[in-house]
Amino acid sequence: MSIRTIGVIGSGSMGTGIAHIAAQSGYEVILNDVSAQALERSLGSIAAAFDKLVAKGKVSEAVKNETLGRIHTTTELTAMAKADLVIEAIFENLEAKCDLMKKLDTICPPETILSSNTSTMSITKMAAVTGRPDRFAGLHFFNPATIMRLVEVIRGYYTSDATIETLMTVVRSLGKEGIEVKKDTPGFVVNRLMLPQLREAVLVYEEGIASIEDIDKAMTLGLNHPMGPFTLMDYTGIDIAYDSLNYLQAELGESRWSAPQAMKRLINAKRLGKKTGGKGWYTAQ
């Protein structure tokens, strides 16, 4: 199947990044959100990113205008009827995602591929509420989507080989590297490996073994990670890590996934990181 128009649902940081790279790669993009103000902020963010590139001489003003011209914003979900591929990028709540997929299944033509940008949740459960489980898959981009090269392409139980092949082609056309997640398992590959590391970092801090700053330093200088676990949680959202751990614990039934109390205390204090003005494990200056 040839993909020409990509629908993106949700104009938060992930949806904005996905819309940006899709339009930059030549696709027509339909960006949807329930909030017109959120859509306006999203377009402003993309324009600002291009302004920096134009100022540095990396792209021309014409390229910026052409790219922005390929992004069509709307608060009407019915606009997704024109999309060949829809990527859901709303908040991490399985019930909300399933409700959305039911609606999309009635709106989009039968040949449209539906996908979710979820980082941990079951692709098979979402696909099951549609009449096209063979044309449903996970398409997990990483934050920031404009920079991070990896995309996890996740099979649901019924996802067809043709769907995976099409999505891998799309991923490559975006300048990304795709890996195929062959089994729909909580956390897929990256979060299955990363979340235990984040959890252990918090436990090391709770036990008084080292400070937040020194744990981050240990991971950046000792393992050559681009950022430490606490800096990473502040960037992506402490609530995201917390909810993901709780989801894996519920799905896998193992105490090793239980979220530390220190994370819950920060969430109760509404210190989520970047999304709460830089107040998280650290306080932005």
Side-chain angles (χ1 to χ4, degrees):
M1 178 182 178
S2 178
I3 305 296
R4 294 184 177 86
T5 301
I6 295 177
V8 180
I9 301 177
S11 62
S13 61
M14 287 307 304
T16 296
I18 295 168
H20 181 154
I21 57 172
Q24 189 172 299
S25 301
Y27 292 97
E28 293 295 318
V29 175
I30 304 168
L31 180 59
N32 168 268
D33 201 294
V34 295
S35 166
Q37 291 77 19
L39 289 168
E40 188 176 343
R41 285 195 300 271
S42 178
L43 273 183
S45 175
I46 296 171
F50 267 105
D51 286 340
K52 291 179 182 178
L53 295 174
V54 171
K56 293 177 181 178
K58 293 185 176 181
V59 300
S60 67
E61 189 74 27
V63 168
K64 168 194 166 183
N65 292 334
E66 287 171 10
T67 302
L68 291 173
R70 284 192 285 267
I71 302 174
H72 314 282
T73 61
T74 178
T75 57
E76 299 297 327
L77 196 61
T78 52
M80 292 297 152
K82 297 179 181 178
D84 303 308
L85 164 65
V86 178
I87 305 171
E88 167 272 311
I90 66 172
F91 55 96
E92 287 287 81
N93 179 283
L94 187 59
E95 184 179 354
K97 290 177 186 292
C98 286
D99 285 346
L100 174 61
M101 293 307 172
K102 287 179 185 177
K103 294 173 183 175
L104 288 171
D105 194 43
T106 64
I107 291 169
C108 297
E111 62 271 16
T112 299
I113 295 174
L114 302 181
S115 68
S116 173
N117 183 58
T118 182
S119 59
T120 56
M121 295 182 173
S122 174
I123 299 304
T124 301
K125 285 182 179 179
M126 285 183 254
V129 304
T130 76
R132 63 187 84 198
D134 59 321
R135 291 182 301 287
F136 196 108
L139 205 54
H140 178 214
F141 292 78
F142 291 79
N143 196 14
T146 52
I147 296 173
M148 300 296 283
R149 292 187 62 200
L150 181 68
V151 179
E152 291 179 314
V153 181
I154 306 123
R155 282 185 180 270
Y157 192 87
Y158 293 106
T159 306
S160 70
D161 290 343
T163 296
I164 294 296
E165 183 179 344
T166 297
L167 293 178
M168 283 292 193
T169 299
V170 170
V171 167
R172 287 191 293 271
S173 74
L174 299 176
K176 306 295 183 183
E177 292 283 343
I179 62 168
E180 181 184 346
V181 181
K182 297 179 182 294
K183 293 181 179 180
D184 180 19
T185 185
F188 314 131
V189 174
V190 172
N191 276 329
R192 185 72 179 265
L193 297 173
M194 181 183 70
L195 285 168
Q197 185 183 88
L198 298 182
R199 178 180 183 271
E200 199 63 31
V202 178
L203 292 177
V204 167
Y205 166 65
E206 277 190 328
E207 292 169 19
I209 296 170
S211 68
I212 288 171
E213 293 82 1
D214 281 351
I215 295 169
D216 272 0
K217 189 182 295 184
M219 299 302 284
T220 55
L221 301 184
L223 295 181
N224 207 29
H225 287 198
M227 64 177 71
F230 293 99
T231 301
L232 177 61
M233 283 186 277
D234 275 1
Y235 183 78
T236 58
I238 296 165
D239 56 326
I240 300 297
Y242 180 80
D243 290 344
S244 296
L245 282 168
N246 285 336
Y247 178 80
L248 264 68
Q249 183 185 27
E251 288 290 311
L252 300 174
E254 299 173 3
S255 59
R256 66 191 176 102
W257 297 105
S258 61
Q261 284 298 307
M263 297 177 74
K264 188 172 185 178
R265 285 194 293 271
L266 283 185
I267 291 169
N268 288 343
K270 301 191 184 303
R271 293 178 64 94
L272 308 181
K274 182 181 177 182
K275 65 175 72 175
T276 51
K279 294 179 179 179
W281 295 107
Y282 294 97
T283 298
Q285 301 298 319

